[in-house]
Amino acid sequence: MAATDLDKASTERAVATSVDPAEVPSAAWGWSGESRKTFRIAGWVVVVALLGMTIGNHQGHVEDIFLISLAGLMALIMIVDSLTQRMPK
């Protein structure tokens, strides 16, 4: 007999999470939360991309000031976040 939505197959594992699937729908299929490492890598990629945009044929350097300051702000936020994450609570 094939498994249906109402009759679970005996080979399926129950997902044990401490998150209520009603609040977080993705918890029902086994994933819930954030990947800090992925967000940090993406943040550093964005910082490098912003600094890479300063290379070009700019007549005035107002764009460069905004790009460098935004990249510096993002880098500062990520550094503070990584330092505060290491501190014991």
Side-chain angles (χ1 to χ4, degrees), residues 2-89:
T4 63
D5 289 337
L6 300 175
D7 182 26
K8 298 273 186 191
S10 62
T11 58
E12 291 186 27
R13 294 187 312 153
V15 177
T17 63
S18 61
V19 180
D20 184 19
E23 294 177 8
V24 184
S26 60
W29 45 271
W31 180 84
S32 179
E34 299 175 342
S35 173
R36 284 190 168 270
K37 184 176 180 182
T38 304
F39 289 137
R40 284 186 185 147
I41 291 171
W44 287 113
V45 167
V46 169
V47 168
V48 169
L50 286 173
L51 293 175
M53 286 184 208
T54 60
I55 301 169
N57 56 352
H58 305 287
Q59 295 296 325
H61 291 287
V62 176
E63 301 93 353
D64 294 342
I65 294 169
F66 279 104
L67 289 170
I68 291 170
S69 62
L70 186 58
L73 178 66
M74 287 184 64
L76 180 68
I77 289 171
M78 288 188 297
I79 290 169
V80 168
D81 179 56
S82 67
L83 291 177
T84 57
Q85 196 66 19
R86 293 181 185 177
M87 289 182 178
K89 293 180 180 178

